[in-house]
Amino acid sequence: MADRKNGLTYADSGVDIDAGNRLVDLIKPMVRATARAGADAEIGGFGGLFDLKAAGFKDPVLVAATDGVGTKVKIAIDTGLHGGIGIDLVAMSVNDLVVQGAEPLFFLDYFACGKLDPEAAAAIVAGVAEGCRESGCALIGGETAEMPGLYKAGDYDLAGFAVGAAERGTLLPRGDIAAGDAVIGLASSGVHSNGFSLVRKIVETSGIAWDAPAPFSPVMTLGGALLTPTRLYVKSCLRAIRETGAVKGLAHITGGGFTDNIPRVLPKHLGVGIDLARLPVLPVFKWLAKQGGIAELELLRTFNCGVGMIAIVRSDSVEQAMEVFADSGETVALLGEVIEAKGEHRVVYNGHLDLAL
């Protein structure tokens, strides 16, 4: 019988418990900084707690959302720029909560890797904590999984889970959306976290290195520019909902772009007419369109093109709503109006995008 090696440890298989404990120690202060009414944001237990009564809710409906950051994470891995990807993770879930009129309450993250680098992981969690603070939600827990053999050393993936609440009867979209309501766009910060398989393909064919100046923003590297975090719309949208009473619906422009996301918040018999000339196209999308030879309709169904959130607003309150959004730091554009739907085309585009570099 062959001799068996004795004394194997978990570390011999590639999993370092001590590194995991070090990560917990590094991130505890970041997590604590996300505390809010209803949660103390301490980690270390088997589950996170949240007190809805302490948060001020009387008859709440809970709303939940989960997401990742897609293949954008591959650019973070390749460049070693991990700081903003955690913000993306939070934004993809909390922006989905606010479109339903819900206030984000708490967030949990899941981080999986081949070999844990506590400092790199802490940089990611720092971004998660920043996203939570900016959205007013507590980071109450998470999970770190070191899985050698499934992920290569240096590779990792992220997932997140957010829960929010709204008082019963205040959820969006409202049932009174009607033809003639205004369609307002809130500017994005960049590509956000969708369409990155196509983005990476375009960069690959361009031959431009991640650390080279970005053609559309020469003061930044290409990798750094594309990793600009997803914009968080929570506070501005909640403020507009509460102060104006005129916001009837919101649509987070993610995978599927305008074409697929806007109809999700409209009654079946309604659509929207969008004036593309009013859409503030960001330089990154102009470069992607030119470099990849992407058709206009493909751009509109893949990327946000410069508008990351759509608001459906009562027609007699457009100026008030736009002022509140602008006062909250948003760049706002009146893009069109709600129309009667004709056939299967529920997003009707008028004119063309300004794609001139």
Side-chain angles (χ1 to χ4, degrees):
M1 179 181 294
D3 290 338
R4 295 181 179 177
K5 181 179 179 182
N6 295 319
L8 284 174
T9 66
Y10 209 2
D12 290 328
S13 70
V15 178
D16 189 342
I17 295 175
D18 291 333
N21 291 334
R22 171 166 169 72
L23 174 60
V24 172
D25 289 338
L26 288 172
I27 67 177
K28 275 186 176 180
M30 308 171 194
V31 174
R32 259 184 224 114
T34 70
R36 55 152 292 161
D40 60 13
E42 286 290 336
I43 57 172
F46 287 96
L49 304 177
F50 193 92
D51 185 342
L52 283 166
K53 187 175 181 181
F57 287 91
K58 298 178 180 177
D59 186 19
V61 176
L62 292 179
V63 183
T66 185
D67 211 337
V69 296
T71 59
K72 185 175 185 177
V73 74
K74 181 62 176 169
I75 301 178
I77 292 168
D78 289 347
T79 61
L81 302 173
H82 307 293
I85 205 78
I87 298 175
D88 286 300
L89 185 65
V90 175
M92 295 306 291
S93 286
V94 297
N95 285 344
D96 279 355
L97 293 183
V98 78
V99 301
Q100 295 179 266
E103 174 187 342
L105 302 176
F106 61 84
F107 188 86
L108 297 96
D109 67 312
Y110 174 79
F111 174 84
C113 62
K115 182 173 178 57
L116 182 60
D117 178 341
E119 281 68 30
I124 294 166
V125 177
V128 173
E130 181 179 346
C132 286
R133 286 195 305 272
E134 290 186 25
S135 304
C137 65
L139 178 56
I140 64 170
E143 177 67 17
T144 301
E146 197 172 13
M147 297 190 285
L150 186 58
Y151 294 92
K152 294 185 297 183
D155 282 354
Y156 63 83
D157 199 10
L158 301 168
F161 179 90
V163 172
E167 293 292 355
R168 195 175 304 276
T170 66
L171 289 170
L172 298 180
R174 284 170 25 184
D176 60 345
I177 296 177
D181 285 338
V183 177
I184 294 173
L186 308 183
S188 68
S189 55
V191 186
H192 286 182
S193 292
N194 298 101
F196 270 89
S197 294
L198 178 55
V199 170
R200 289 169 49 244
K201 184 69 174 177
I202 292 170
V203 172
E204 180 185 346
T205 59
S206 76
I208 302 174
W210 294 124
D211 59 357
F216 51 88
S217 181
V219 298
M220 302 180 72
T221 64
L222 178 59
L226 290 173
L227 285 171
T228 299
T230 304
R231 186 165 181 81
L232 292 152
Y233 297 100
V234 171
K235 289 186 177 179
S236 62
C237 286
L238 287 177
R239 181 180 170 189
I241 291 168
R242 293 164 177 170
E243 290 188 11
T244 71
V247 178
K248 296 184 176 185
L250 294 164
H252 186 199
I253 306 303
T254 56
F258 298 88
T259 306
D260 292 347
N261 283 297
I262 298 176
R264 295 169 66 183
V265 302
L266 297 174
K268 296 296 184 184
H269 67 286
L270 294 177
V272 295
I274 301 291
D275 184 351
L276 294 180
R278 298 181 181 179
L279 203 152
V281 182
L282 295 176
V284 60
F285 297 109
K286 297 181 181 184
W287 180 77
L288 289 169
K290 181 178 180 180
Q291 187 67 40
I294 306 173
E296 185 176 65
L297 289 178
E298 183 70 11
L299 276 175
L300 290 162
R301 197 181 182 190
T302 306
F303 299 115
N304 66 64
C305 296
V307 168
M309 184 71 75
I310 291 288
I312 308 297
V313 176
R314 199 173 63 227
S315 59
D316 62 357
S317 300
V318 174
E319 289 187 9
Q320 180 193 10
M322 291 182 72
E323 286 178 2
V324 171
F325 279 123
D327 190 55
S328 299
E330 303 292 353
T331 300
V332 192
L334 179 60
L335 301 180
E337 65 178 10
V338 177
I339 60 175
E340 295 290 336
K342 297 179 181 179
E344 61 183 33
H345 299 293
R346 300 183 60 202
V347 179
V348 177
Y349 299 113
N350 304 304
H352 295 281
L353 296 170
D354 176 10
L355 296 176
L357 284 168

